Amino acid sequence: MPTITFIDPEGEVHKVAAEIGSTVMETAMKNDVPGIIASCGGSCACATCHVYVDEAWLAKTGERSTEEEDMLDTAIDLAPNSRLSCQITVTEELDGLTVRVAARQI
């Protein structure tokens, strides 16, 4: 099982096991990672699972879809490495992925 490292808004590190095929958001919710709200349940209809992907992992997490770009336009403190965690599917290649949970979710 891949391991994902979440850094919550308070700076606390949460290393958790993730199931292949799940999303980074589902992994956060299953492991009670603080800061991820996931109001829409992962349907890319809000920006309450906003994370910042560590620069070293950007290529492996894939490109943002147009739908994700549109939702991120509503996020607070948008950055070039911003992603909606519901749009990142866990694969073996993501073992070791590090994401920082955005301090403010809308």
Side-chain angles (χ1 to χ4, degrees):
M1 252 186 203
T3 299
I4 298 176
T5 301
F6 293 89
I7 303 170
D8 73 26
E10 300 300 319
E12 188 175 337
V13 175
H14 306 265
K15 288 188 178 209
V16 299
E19 293 180 29
I20 301 292
S22 67
T23 65
V24 171
M25 181 217 71
E26 290 168 334
T27 302
M29 298 303 289
K30 186 175 184 179
N31 290 281
D32 298 320
V33 174
I36 300 286
I37 300 168
S39 295
C40 73
S43 62
C44 198
C46 71
T48 61
C49 66
H50 179 202
V51 297
Y52 303 104
V53 175
D54 184 90
E55 299 287 333
W57 291 94
L58 282 175
K60 289 187 179 182
T61 58
E63 302 231 352
R64 295 185 248 190
S65 68
T66 302
E67 183 180 27
E68 182 179 3
E69 289 277 355
D70 289 346
M71 285 285 72
L72 280 168
D73 283 343
T74 67
I76 299 169
D77 298 326
L78 186 64
N81 61 332
S82 289
R83 290 295 305 270
L84 297 180
S85 58
C86 68
Q87 298 301 295
I88 304 171
T89 302
V90 176
T91 64
E92 284 289 348
E93 282 189 321
L94 294 185
D95 185 29
L97 171 67
T98 299
V99 298
R100 180 175 295 275
V101 178
R104 296 188 299 163
Q105 305 282 352
I106 58 165

